[in-house]
Amino acid sequence: MCAKLSRVLTIVVTAFREENTVGRAINALIGQPLPEDWELLVVCPDDATAAVAAAVQAECPAVRCLRDEGRGKPAALNLAFKEARGDLLVLTDGDVYVGDGAVPALLTPFADPAVGIASGRPVSISPRDTMLGYWSHLLVEAGAHRQRSLRSASGEFFESSGYLYAFRRSLVSDIPEDSLAEDGLISHRIAEQGFRTAYAPDAVVYVKYPSTYSDWMKQKIRSVGGYAQNYVHAARGMRSLRREALDGTMAALEFARGPRELWWTLLLFAARLHVWLRVWWDVKLRKRSFATLWQRVNSTK
Protein backbone atom coordinates (compact mmCIF):
# COMPACT_ATOMS: atom_id res chain seq x y z
CA MET A 1 0.00 0.00 0.00
CA CYS A 2 1.21 3.57 -0.70
CA ALA A 3 1.86 5.39 2.55
CA LYS A 4 0.65 8.94 2.77
CA LEU A 5 2.83 14.29 4.83
CA SER A 6 2.22 18.47 2.19
CA ARG A 7 4.81 19.05 -0.41
CA VAL A 8 5.03 18.01 -4.04
CA LEU A 9 7.75 15.38 -4.07
CA THR A 10 9.45 13.38 -6.80
CA ILE A 11 11.58 10.40 -5.82
CA VAL A 12 14.01 9.24 -8.52
CA VAL A 13 15.49 5.75 -8.54
CA THR A 14 18.16 5.20 -11.20
CA ALA A 15 18.91 1.58 -12.07
CA PHE A 16 20.55 -0.59 -14.71
CA ARG A 17 20.20 -4.38 -14.75
CA GLU A 18 19.16 -4.31 -11.11
CA GLU A 19 16.04 -6.44 -11.32
CA ASN A 20 17.15 -8.39 -8.22
CA THR A 21 17.38 -5.32 -5.97
CA VAL A 22 15.18 -2.56 -7.41
CA GLY A 23 11.97 -4.05 -6.01
CA ARG A 24 13.32 -3.83 -2.49
CA ALA A 25 14.49 -0.25 -3.16
CA ILE A 26 11.05 0.83 -4.43
CA ASN A 27 9.06 -0.87 -1.67
CA ALA A 28 11.26 0.64 1.05
CA LEU A 29 10.51 4.10 -0.41
CA ILE A 30 6.77 3.81 -0.96
CA GLY A 31 6.36 2.38 2.54
CA GLN A 32 7.56 5.70 4.01
CA PRO A 33 5.30 8.47 5.31
CA LEU A 34 5.20 10.66 2.20
CA PRO A 35 3.57 13.99 1.25
CA GLU A 36 0.04 13.92 -0.14
CA ASP A 37 1.29 14.68 -3.64
CA TRP A 38 4.21 12.49 -4.63
CA GLU A 39 5.53 10.32 -7.42
CA LEU A 40 8.33 7.82 -7.80
CA LEU A 41 10.21 7.60 -11.09
CA VAL A 42 12.27 4.50 -11.86
CA VAL A 43 14.71 5.38 -14.64
CA CYS A 44 16.32 2.42 -16.39
CA PRO A 45 17.29 1.28 -19.91
CA ASP A 46 16.72 -2.49 -19.57
CA ASP A 47 13.61 -4.64 -19.81
CA ALA A 48 14.22 -6.72 -16.67
CA THR A 49 14.41 -3.72 -14.33
CA ALA A 50 11.46 -2.06 -16.07
CA ALA A 51 9.37 -5.20 -15.57
CA VAL A 52 9.87 -5.02 -11.81
CA ALA A 53 8.88 -1.34 -11.79
CA ALA A 54 5.79 -2.12 -13.87
CA ALA A 55 4.69 -4.79 -11.40
CA VAL A 56 4.89 -2.27 -8.54
CA GLN A 57 3.10 0.37 -10.64
CA ALA A 58 0.16 -1.99 -11.07
CA GLU A 59 -0.38 -1.82 -7.30
CA CYS A 60 0.76 1.77 -6.77
CA PRO A 61 0.09 4.11 -9.73
CA ALA A 62 2.29 6.86 -8.24
CA VAL A 63 5.22 4.75 -9.45
CA ARG A 64 6.26 5.34 -13.07
CA CYS A 65 9.02 3.84 -15.18
CA LEU A 66 11.05 6.00 -17.58
CA ARG A 67 13.21 4.28 -20.17
CA ASP A 68 16.52 6.03 -20.75
CA GLU A 69 18.89 5.29 -23.62
CA GLY A 70 21.62 3.64 -21.57
CA ARG A 71 24.10 6.53 -21.85
CA GLY A 72 24.86 6.51 -18.11
CA LYS A 73 23.48 7.86 -14.86
CA PRO A 74 23.82 11.60 -15.66
CA ALA A 75 21.74 11.19 -18.83
CA ALA A 76 19.18 9.15 -16.88
CA LEU A 77 18.94 11.92 -14.26
CA ASN A 78 18.48 14.58 -16.93
CA LEU A 79 15.51 12.61 -18.25
CA ALA A 80 14.06 12.42 -14.73
CA PHE A 81 14.57 16.16 -14.17
CA LYS A 82 12.52 16.88 -17.30
CA GLU A 83 9.70 14.56 -16.29
CA ALA A 84 9.55 15.32 -12.56
CA ARG A 85 6.57 17.22 -11.15
CA GLY A 86 8.00 17.73 -7.67
CA ASP A 87 9.32 20.91 -6.10
CA LEU A 88 11.69 18.67 -4.16
CA LEU A 89 13.63 15.79 -5.69
CA VAL A 90 14.89 12.78 -3.74
CA LEU A 91 17.59 10.81 -5.57
CA THR A 92 18.70 7.26 -4.82
CA ASP A 93 19.78 4.06 -6.56
CA GLY A 94 18.22 0.73 -7.43
CA ASP A 95 20.80 -1.36 -5.57
CA VAL A 96 20.36 0.28 -2.14
CA TYR A 97 17.38 0.64 0.20
CA VAL A 98 16.33 3.26 2.74
CA GLY A 99 15.62 2.71 6.42
CA ASP A 100 12.35 3.43 8.24
CA GLY A 101 11.55 7.15 8.30
CA ALA A 102 14.45 8.03 6.01
CA VAL A 103 12.45 10.17 3.57
CA PRO A 104 10.72 12.35 6.20
CA ALA A 105 14.10 12.81 7.95
CA LEU A 106 15.64 13.87 4.62
CA LEU A 107 12.85 16.37 3.91
CA THR A 108 12.78 17.98 7.36
CA PRO A 109 15.71 20.40 6.75
CA PHE A 110 13.82 22.02 3.85
CA ALA A 111 11.58 23.81 6.36
CA ASP A 112 14.51 26.25 6.37
CA PRO A 113 14.37 28.21 3.07
CA ALA A 114 18.16 28.65 3.18
CA VAL A 115 18.67 24.90 2.73
CA GLY A 116 19.02 23.88 -0.90
CA ILE A 117 20.21 20.29 -0.58
CA ALA A 118 20.22 17.60 2.13
CA SER A 119 22.27 14.44 2.40
CA GLY A 120 21.26 11.11 3.85
CA ARG A 121 23.58 8.76 5.73
CA PRO A 122 24.91 5.62 4.02
CA VAL A 123 25.31 2.60 6.29
CA SER A 124 27.30 -0.41 5.14
CA ILE A 125 25.65 -3.84 5.20
CA SER A 126 28.88 -5.51 4.07
CA PRO A 127 30.50 -7.85 6.64
CA ARG A 128 33.06 -6.15 8.84
CA ASP A 129 35.06 -9.39 9.21
CA THR A 130 36.45 -9.16 5.65
CA MET A 131 39.04 -6.61 4.56
CA LEU A 132 36.87 -4.88 1.93
CA GLY A 133 33.84 -5.02 4.20
CA TYR A 134 35.89 -3.42 6.98
CA TRP A 135 37.05 -0.72 4.58
CA SER A 136 33.43 0.12 3.78
CA HIS A 137 32.55 0.52 7.47
CA LEU A 138 35.62 2.65 8.11
CA LEU A 139 35.03 4.92 5.13
CA VAL A 140 31.34 5.53 5.83
CA GLU A 141 31.56 5.78 9.64
CA ALA A 142 34.98 7.27 10.47
CA GLY A 143 35.08 9.00 7.10
CA ALA A 144 31.90 10.32 5.47
CA HIS A 145 29.57 10.35 8.50
CA ARG A 146 32.20 11.94 10.75
CA GLN A 147 33.12 14.61 8.19
CA ARG A 148 29.51 15.48 7.33
CA SER A 149 28.60 15.72 11.02
CA LEU A 150 31.53 18.01 11.77
CA ARG A 151 30.97 20.21 8.74
CA SER A 152 27.24 20.41 9.34
CA ALA A 153 27.77 21.46 12.96
CA SER A 154 30.17 24.25 11.91
CA GLY A 155 28.07 25.41 8.94
CA GLU A 156 30.67 24.35 6.38
CA PHE A 157 29.97 23.05 2.90
CA PHE A 158 30.09 19.31 2.22
CA GLU A 159 29.12 17.08 -0.69
CA SER A 160 25.92 15.07 -0.39
CA SER A 161 25.90 11.31 -0.71
CA GLY A 162 24.77 10.00 -4.07
CA TYR A 163 23.16 7.02 -2.38
CA LEU A 164 20.44 9.26 -0.89
CA TYR A 165 20.00 13.03 -1.16
CA ALA A 166 17.35 15.63 -1.87
CA PHE A 167 17.38 19.13 -3.37
CA ARG A 168 15.12 21.91 -4.59
CA ARG A 169 14.32 21.18 -8.21
CA SER A 170 14.49 24.85 -9.22
CA LEU A 171 18.23 24.97 -8.43
CA VAL A 172 19.47 22.36 -10.94
CA SER A 173 17.79 21.61 -14.27
CA ASP A 174 20.42 19.41 -15.93
CA ILE A 175 23.96 18.13 -15.55
CA PRO A 176 26.75 17.31 -18.04
CA GLU A 177 26.51 13.74 -19.30
CA ASP A 178 30.21 13.16 -18.59
CA SER A 179 29.79 13.84 -14.85
CA LEU A 180 31.59 11.11 -12.92
CA ALA A 181 30.23 12.28 -9.55
CA GLU A 182 26.88 13.93 -10.15
CA ASP A 183 26.22 14.16 -6.41
CA GLY A 184 29.32 16.32 -5.96
CA LEU A 185 28.52 18.44 -9.00
CA ILE A 186 24.94 19.10 -7.86
CA SER A 187 26.14 19.88 -4.33
CA HIS A 188 28.61 22.46 -5.63
CA ARG A 189 26.13 24.06 -8.03
CA ILE A 190 23.62 24.58 -5.25
CA ALA A 191 26.25 25.99 -2.87
CA GLU A 192 27.35 28.43 -5.58
CA GLN A 193 23.81 29.84 -5.55
CA GLY A 194 24.12 30.68 -1.85
CA PHE A 195 22.12 27.79 -0.39
CA ARG A 196 23.17 25.68 2.58
CA THR A 197 23.78 21.95 2.63
CA ALA A 198 22.06 20.03 5.44
CA TYR A 199 22.96 16.66 6.89
CA ALA A 200 20.15 14.29 7.91
CA PRO A 201 21.87 11.43 9.77
CA ASP A 202 18.52 9.77 10.53
CA ALA A 203 17.91 9.44 6.78
CA VAL A 204 19.67 6.09 6.62
CA VAL A 205 20.32 4.25 3.37
CA TYR A 206 21.69 0.71 3.46
CA VAL A 207 24.46 -0.03 0.99
CA LYS A 208 26.29 -3.18 -0.06
CA TYR A 209 29.84 -2.20 -0.98
CA PRO A 210 32.23 -3.96 -3.41
CA SER A 211 33.64 -7.32 -2.35
CA THR A 212 36.52 -7.46 -4.85
CA TYR A 213 39.47 -5.08 -5.14
CA SER A 214 38.82 -4.65 -8.87
CA ASP A 215 35.24 -3.49 -8.22
CA TRP A 216 36.40 -1.33 -5.31
CA MET A 217 38.85 0.46 -7.61
CA LYS A 218 36.20 0.97 -10.31
CA GLN A 219 33.84 2.55 -7.79
CA LYS A 220 36.44 4.76 -6.13
CA ILE A 221 37.96 5.98 -9.39
CA ARG A 222 34.46 6.94 -10.48
CA SER A 223 33.59 8.79 -7.28
CA VAL A 224 36.97 10.37 -6.52
CA GLY A 225 37.52 11.11 -10.21
CA GLY A 226 34.42 13.26 -10.28
CA TYR A 227 36.04 15.68 -7.88
CA ALA A 228 39.07 15.96 -10.14
CA GLN A 229 36.99 17.08 -13.11
CA ASN A 230 37.34 20.75 -13.92
CA TYR A 231 33.86 21.84 -12.91
CA VAL A 232 34.31 20.94 -9.21
CA HIS A 233 35.92 23.62 -7.04
CA ALA A 234 38.45 21.74 -4.90
CA ALA A 235 38.87 24.64 -2.48
CA ARG A 236 35.33 24.07 -1.21
CA GLY A 237 35.29 20.30 -1.47
CA MET A 238 35.80 17.50 1.01
CA ARG A 239 38.07 15.33 -1.11
CA SER A 240 41.78 15.51 -1.79
CA LEU A 241 44.71 13.29 -0.90
CA ARG A 242 46.05 16.00 1.39
CA ARG A 243 42.69 16.42 3.17
CA GLU A 244 42.41 12.67 3.67
CA ALA A 245 45.89 12.50 5.19
CA LEU A 246 45.39 15.49 7.49
CA ASP A 247 41.79 14.97 8.55
CA GLY A 248 41.32 11.23 8.40
CA THR A 249 44.47 9.42 9.49
CA MET A 250 43.91 9.42 13.25
CA ALA A 251 40.18 8.73 12.92
CA ALA A 252 40.96 5.75 10.69
CA LEU A 253 43.59 4.34 13.06
CA GLU A 254 41.28 4.75 16.06
CA PHE A 255 38.48 2.94 14.22
CA ALA A 256 40.41 -0.35 14.22
CA ARG A 257 39.54 -3.02 16.78
CA GLY A 258 42.63 -5.11 17.21
CA PRO A 259 45.74 -5.94 15.18
CA ARG A 260 43.94 -7.43 12.17
CA GLU A 261 41.79 -4.36 11.58
CA LEU A 262 44.80 -2.12 12.18
CA TRP A 263 46.64 -3.99 9.41
CA TRP A 264 43.63 -3.61 7.11
CA THR A 265 43.63 0.12 7.90
CA LEU A 266 47.25 0.44 6.83
CA LEU A 267 46.43 -1.43 3.62
CA LEU A 268 43.55 0.99 3.03
CA PHE A 269 45.98 3.92 3.20
CA ALA A 270 47.95 2.28 0.38
CA ALA A 271 44.77 1.56 -1.59
CA ARG A 272 43.59 5.17 -1.29
CA LEU A 273 46.97 6.35 -2.59
CA HIS A 274 46.48 3.92 -5.50
CA VAL A 275 43.07 5.51 -6.21
CA TRP A 276 44.42 9.06 -6.22
CA LEU A 277 47.32 8.10 -8.50
CA ARG A 278 44.92 6.40 -10.92
CA VAL A 279 42.64 9.46 -10.86
CA TRP A 280 45.58 11.76 -11.55
CA TRP A 281 46.68 9.53 -14.43
CA ASP A 282 43.31 8.67 -16.01
CA VAL A 283 41.24 11.78 -15.30
CA LYS A 284 43.64 14.68 -15.03
CA LEU A 285 46.47 13.61 -17.34
CA ARG A 286 44.99 11.26 -19.95
CA LYS A 287 41.47 12.75 -19.70
CA ARG A 288 39.87 9.40 -20.43
CA SER A 289 36.24 9.44 -21.55
CA PHE A 290 33.21 8.93 -19.34
CA ALA A 291 32.45 5.65 -21.13
CA THR A 292 35.82 4.15 -20.19
CA LEU A 293 35.84 5.43 -16.61
CA TRP A 294 32.23 4.54 -15.70
CA GLN A 295 32.39 0.76 -15.40
CA ARG A 296 29.68 -1.42 -13.90
CA VAL A 297 30.39 -2.73 -10.39
CA ASN A 298 28.80 -6.18 -10.18
CA SER A 299 29.66 -7.24 -6.63
CA THR A 300 27.36 -4.58 -5.11
CA LYS A 301 24.23 -6.03 -6.71
Side-chain angles (χ1 to χ4, degrees):
M1 173 185 284
C2 303
K4 299 252 183 218
L5 271 154
S6 0
R7 287 187 181 103
V8 183
L9 176 70
T10 296
I11 303 171
V12 179
V13 178
T14 49
F16 172 51
R17 286 173 18 208
E18 290 169 351
E19 65 273 13
N20 295 325
T21 57
V22 72
R24 178 180 62 181
I26 297 169
N27 287 322
L29 288 161
I30 65 177
Q32 304 274 313
L34 298 174
E36 289 293 328
D37 191 358
W38 66 276
E39 63 179 351
L40 189 150
L41 307 179
V42 179
V43 191
C44 62
D46 61 296
D47 293 339
T49 303
V52 176
V56 178
Q57 183 177 1
E59 299 294 327
C60 185
V63 175
R64 283 197 292 143
C65 184
L66 303 178
R67 301 297 293 270
D68 68 89
E69 297 179 359
R71 297 198 307 272
K73 186 175 180 180
L77 288 176
N78 285 337
L79 174 60
F81 296 165
K82 290 178 182 177
E83 294 287 332
R85 294 189 301 108
D87 304 307
L88 292 175
L89 299 183
V90 170
L91 273 57
T92 187
D93 296 328
D95 58 351
V96 303
Y97 62 98
V98 300
D100 293 343
V103 174
L106 190 64
L107 299 183
T108 297
F110 292 98
D112 181 351
V115 170
I117 185 168
S119 176
R121 176 185 177 182
V123 171
S124 175
I125 60 172
S126 298
R128 184 168 170 154
D129 61 357
T130 67
M131 184 179 73
L132 287 166
Y134 169 75
W135 286 2
S136 71
H137 286 270
L138 190 160
L139 290 171
V140 299
E141 295 171 36
H145 172 59
R146 173 178 166 273
Q147 283 294 314
R148 290 190 176 106
S149 297
L150 290 171
R151 285 173 173 259
S152 178
S154 62
E156 293 181 75
F157 168 82
F158 56 92
E159 290 94 359
S160 295
S161 168
Y163 290 116
L164 179 65
Y165 64 115
F167 64 91
R168 299 185 189 275
R169 181 190 176 196
S170 61
L171 301 179
V172 178
S173 59
D174 61 73
I175 55 176
E177 290 193 6
D178 66 345
S179 305
L180 289 172
E182 82 293 331
D183 49 351
L185 173 61
I186 290 171
S187 298
H188 281 269
R189 280 194 174 177
I190 290 173
E192 287 166 355
Q193 296 174 65
F195 287 86
R196 287 200 306 108
T197 304
Y199 185 39
D202 292 330
V204 170
V205 55
Y206 295 102
V207 184
K208 180 183 177 185
Y209 286 87
S211 58
T212 70
Y213 189 72
S214 173
D215 276 357
W216 187 86
M217 282 296 295
K218 290 175 186 175
Q219 187 182 75
K220 298 309 177 188
I221 289 171
R222 210 164 63 191
S223 60
V224 174
Y227 298 92
Q229 287 179 314
N230 292 330
Y231 49 72
V232 171
H233 300 286
R236 192 193 293 118
M238 292 168 64
R239 298 194 183 190
S240 73
L241 181 58
R242 180 176 177 275
R243 282 181 182 273
E244 284 190 10
L246 292 176
D247 299 340
T249 299
M250 285 307 301
L253 292 171
E254 292 170 356
F255 188 75
R257 302 173 188 162
R260 183 174 68 164
E261 290 191 350
L262 180 59
W263 172 240
W264 286 345
T265 300
L266 297 177
L267 292 176
L268 177 60
F269 292 163
R272 293 297 292 184
L273 177 59
H274 186 196
V275 169
W276 283 104
L277 289 173
R278 284 284 306 275
V279 166
W280 175 80
W281 177 254
D282 289 334
V283 179
K284 297 294 286 185
L285 196 63
R286 297 177 64 195
K287 299 188 184 300
R288 291 179 60 194
S289 68
F290 173 86
T292 59
L293 290 170
W294 188 279
Q295 299 182 47
R296 180 175 170 82
V297 176
N298 290 307
S299 63
T300 62
K301 312 305 178 189

